[in-house]
């Protein structure tokens, strides 16, 4: 079986957040394969520790994927502040005889260094065109944990676990390997947090993660971390605002200072993403579709909403509002040019991570979250059928059936983009829901 089919069978998806099926990403030829090890979300500590702990496996996974897509060069992007890991990776690359093929490049400590398009520019000086993907400029980007999962897939090991950081206003911050499907409530309890309900929980990083409704959900292959904060923390108040509220608040108070635009990472790459124009269209109820369509260029990094706007408004939320409206009408942004150059002011307008952490009230919690081994013992696992971009997996097990750890329980529907799902522990299928399969462990 070739690499693509092994990766497909193992259910590997982008572990960096979006969950795009990796076999679909690798079904192309590209000049560069880039490893996204930027981990620019404050407080998350997964990628940096995986690159230290599993450097050889990650390098081999990246190399195998790079050779498969016939990339002439593989580049690992990691923040230069992780000096020891940078050194370790370079030593391993040399020890494996890969120094002519692979290099480590040090990224600046800025937000969002891990945005795929920012990363491509920082590592190759190529700008991904508006509304396009890195492949357009000869690059395929995979995340560090994805490279590790590719390595595992080559020896037949499916994705049944994910690494995530528990951080925020809690006594013990830590990073752990968790079985996919683990109930979040149990995860918190087995990590020593009996009072999980007392916190507001962000699923993912503090910038792009969304506020959970409660802790009754379960871990997916995409889970990267849970940030626990007091319910009156600035970030929680801000993330509690829904699209309609954000729209109404923004409509009344935008002063058109254009700070949101001037610091927008996509605008700085030369794209036409100008959130202040979208805000203007909202405030004055403008119907100019061109002004509204630029909302589709937003990567939802949240920099404008949580860092740039002096009036504490919601430009990203307004972008999402218009994105939804445009999608309903079937309108897609059409770029007006093919090649893009970063704006000349970009170098002076990058957002330093330390400033960002201070601005969003996380300096006190910006601490290590060491990789810790915990033998999780959930009673039940709820394994999502839609953990990825594309069609949900189709159950291939029956009620009452015993499943082994690593057994495929949901397959990709015929002729669809998707990823299979596997049981992360042995047990019995006790419920098959629309979006998940529940396994009683044991
Ligand atoms: S930064 Fe805030 S106030 Fe200024 S233009 Fe943007 S949304 Fe309006
Ligand atoms: S969230 Fe704001 S800063 Fe980020 S890309 Fe969208 S408009 Fe730009």
């Amino acid at each position: 079986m070739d690499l693509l089919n092994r990766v497909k069978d193992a259910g590997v998806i982008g572990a960096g957040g979006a969950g795009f099926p990796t076999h679909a990403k690798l079904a192309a030829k590209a000049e560069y394969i880039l490893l996204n090890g930027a981990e620019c979300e404050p407080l998350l500590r997964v990628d940096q520790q995986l690159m230290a702990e599993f450097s050889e496996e990650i390098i081999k996974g990246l190399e195998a994927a790079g050779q498969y897509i016939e990339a002439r060069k593989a580049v690992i992007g990691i923040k230069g502040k992780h000096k020891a890991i940078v050194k370790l990776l370079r030593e391993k690359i040399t020890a494996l005889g890969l120094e002519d093929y692979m290099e480590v490049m040090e990224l600046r400590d800025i937000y969002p260094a891990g945005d795929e398009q920012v990363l491509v520019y920082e590592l190759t000086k190529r700008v991904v065109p508006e509304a396009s993907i890195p492949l357009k400029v000869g690059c395929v980007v995979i995340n560090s944990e994805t490279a590790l999962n590719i390595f595992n897939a080559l020896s037949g090991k499916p994705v049944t676990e994910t690494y995530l950081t528990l951080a925020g206003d809690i006594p013990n911050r830590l990073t752990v390997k968790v079985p996919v499907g683990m109930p979040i409530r149990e995860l918190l309890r087995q990590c020593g947090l009996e009072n999980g309900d007392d916190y507001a929980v962000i699923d993912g990083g503090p910038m792009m993660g969304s506020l959970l409704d409660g802790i009754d959900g379960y871990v997916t292959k995409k889970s990267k971390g849970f940030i626990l904060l007091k319910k009156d923390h600035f970030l929680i108040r801000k993330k509690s605002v829904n699209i309609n509220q954000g729209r109404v608040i923004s409509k009344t108070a935008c002063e058109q200072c254009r700070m949101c635009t001037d610091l927008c990472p996509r605008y700085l790459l030369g794209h036409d993403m100008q959130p202040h124009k979208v805000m203007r269209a909202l405030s004055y109820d403008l119907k100019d579709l061109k002004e509204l369509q630029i909302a589709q260029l937003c990567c939802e990094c949240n920099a404008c909403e949580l860092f740039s706007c002096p009036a504490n408004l919601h430009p990203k939320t307004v972008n999402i509002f218009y994105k939804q409206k445009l999608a309903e009408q079937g309108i897609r942004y059409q770029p007006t040019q093919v090649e893009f150059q970063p704006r000349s002011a970009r170098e002076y307008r990058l957002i330093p991570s330390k400033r960002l952490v201070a601005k969003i009230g996380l300096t006190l919690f910006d601490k290590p979250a060491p990789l810790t081994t915990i033998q999780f013992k959930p009673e039940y696992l709820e394994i999502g059928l839609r953990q990825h971009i594309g069609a949900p997996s189709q159950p291939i097990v029956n009620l009452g059936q015993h499943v082994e750890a690593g057994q495929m329980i949901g397959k990709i529907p015929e002729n669809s983009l998707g990823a299979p799902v596997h049981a992360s522990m042995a047990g019995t299928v006790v419920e098959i829901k629309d979006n998940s399969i529940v396994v009683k462990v044991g």
Side-chain angles (χ1 to χ4, degrees):
M1 203 191 283
D2 72 352
L3 177 135
L4 206 66
N5 282 308
R6 282 179 190 270
V7 166
K8 186 177 181 181
D9 273 10
V12 182
I13 61 170
F20 191 79
T22 302
H23 67 271
K25 210 175 214 187
L26 298 180
K29 302 293 171 218
E31 199 182 340
Y32 286 100
I33 186 146
L34 308 177
L35 187 92
N36 190 347
E39 192 152 54
C40 62
E41 276 278 6
L43 310 193
L44 296 189
R45 309 279 189 254
V46 172
D47 290 331
Q48 49 199 262
Q49 297 192 82
L50 291 185
M51 285 190 285
E53 191 75 14
F54 302 106
S55 49
E56 198 164 315
E57 291 86 343
I58 288 173
I59 289 169
K60 287 180 173 171
L62 177 68
E63 193 225 348
Q67 300 292 3
Y68 188 84
I69 64 164
E70 295 175 15
R72 68 169 178 82
K73 185 105 202 154
V75 184
I76 297 178
I78 174 173
K79 288 190 176 172
K81 68 176 179 179
H82 302 303
K83 286 193 178 63
I85 308 172
V86 170
K87 184 167 172 283
L88 175 72
L89 288 167
R90 286 186 174 141
E91 285 168 1
K92 290 276 182 198
I93 289 170
T94 307
L96 290 165
L98 290 170
E99 63 272 36
D100 289 339
Y101 182 63
M102 194 176 289
E103 71 171 298
V104 180
M105 285 182 74
E106 297 178 36
L107 300 164
R108 292 174 281 188
D109 197 9
I110 54 162
Y111 183 82
D115 170 55
E116 224 172 47
Q117 301 199 4
V118 171
L119 185 93
V120 168
Y121 178 70
E122 291 288 323
L123 297 183
T124 67
K125 295 293 169 249
R126 296 176 181 183
V127 178
V128 179
E130 287 177 346
S132 191
I133 56 171
L135 195 57
K136 195 81 183 170
V137 290
C139 301
V140 163
V141 183
I142 59 172
N143 158 272
S144 322
E145 192 173 352
T146 309
L148 179 60
N149 288 336
I150 292 172
F151 174 83
N152 289 334
L154 290 174
S155 53
K157 189 177 179 301
V159 182
T160 56
E161 294 160 326
T162 186
Y163 288 85
L164 56 85
T165 295
L166 289 184
D169 193 359
I170 53 175
N172 297 317
R173 298 156 191 96
L174 75 175
T175 300
V176 278
K177 181 167 75 174
V178 184
V180 170
M182 176 97 184
I184 297 170
R185 182 180 296 279
E186 269 304 291
L187 166 72
L188 299 182
R189 200 182 62 75
Q190 292 182 30
C191 288
L193 282 161
E194 291 287 349
N195 53 343
D197 283 312
D198 295 349
Y199 292 94
V201 182
I202 298 171
D203 179 7
M207 292 300 286
M208 294 184 72
S210 51
L211 191 59
L212 289 178
D213 224 356
I215 53 171
D216 289 325
Y218 48 86
V219 169
T220 73
K221 294 182 207 176
K222 290 190 299 190
S223 300
K224 264 288 187 229
F226 294 107
I227 310 295
L228 287 85
L229 294 168
K230 299 260 164 60
K231 290 176 179 170
D232 62 351
H233 188 277
F234 161 77
L235 268 182
I236 303 305
R237 281 186 281 120
K238 193 91 191 198
K239 284 179 186 279
S240 304
V241 172
N242 67 30
I243 291 188
N244 246 334
Q245 292 164 329
R247 193 172 59 90
V248 173
I249 298 167
S250 299
K251 200 168 180 165
T252 55
C254 177
E255 59 203 47
Q256 286 292 289
C257 69
R258 63 167 284 158
M259 282 293 280
C260 49
T261 292
D262 287 341
L263 297 183
C264 170
R266 292 294 174 96
Y267 172 77
L268 292 172
L269 282 177
H271 293 185
D272 198 27
M273 180 66 260
Q274 300 190 59
H276 79 283
K277 287 190 176 173
V278 182
M279 295 293 275
R280 186 163 66 202
L282 173 82
S283 302
Y284 294 100
D285 218 6
L286 302 179
K287 300 283 186 272
D288 179 351
L289 269 187
K290 178 79 185 109
E291 293 236 322
L292 297 181
Q293 270 184 52
I294 55 176
Q296 292 179 328
L297 301 177
C298 171
C299 67
E300 299 174 25
C301 72
N302 233 341
C304 52
E305 198 155 308
L306 294 175
F307 184 83
S308 317
C309 179
N312 200 19
L313 302 182
H314 299 261
K316 181 214 67 178
T317 305
V318 173
N319 281 339
I320 294 176
F321 170 75
Y322 282 121
K323 273 186 185 183
Q324 289 176 352
K325 286 258 168 268
L326 293 162
E328 280 165 20
Q329 295 174 42
I331 298 170
R332 271 184 75 88
Y333 179 87
Q334 296 303 327
T336 49
Q337 57 194 96
V338 190
E339 291 206 359
F340 292 82
Q341 290 297 323
R343 299 191 194 263
S344 53
R346 181 174 188 270
E347 284 303 300
Y348 313 103
R349 295 197 190 148
L350 300 171
I351 299 174
S353 296
K354 259 210 156 66
R355 283 284 308 126
L356 175 72
V357 167
K359 177 81 193 270
I360 60 178
L362 294 181
T363 304
L364 265 181
F365 316 128
D366 192 12
K367 306 248 168 73
L371 195 56
T372 308
T373 304
I374 296 181
Q375 289 302 333
F376 289 106
K377 294 193 178 90
E379 200 180 338
Y380 292 92
L381 294 168
E382 185 159 352
I383 297 164
L385 293 168
R386 191 192 276 274
Q387 302 185 39
H388 47 264
I389 289 177
S393 306
Q394 280 175 346
I396 51 169
V397 287
N398 300 313
L399 270 184
Q401 184 177 337
H402 179 80
V403 290
E404 294 297 337
Q407 181 179 334
M408 191 185 290
I409 59 173
K411 64 166 190 177
I412 306 174
E414 212 61 41
N415 300 322
S416 302
L417 174 70
V421 294
H422 303 77
S424 28
M425 291 175 147
T428 307
V429 176
V430 291
E431 200 175 348
I432 300 177
K433 301 185 187 177
D434 285 348
N435 281 320
S436 60
I437 294 174
V438 183
V439 173
K440 185 172 185 346
V441 178

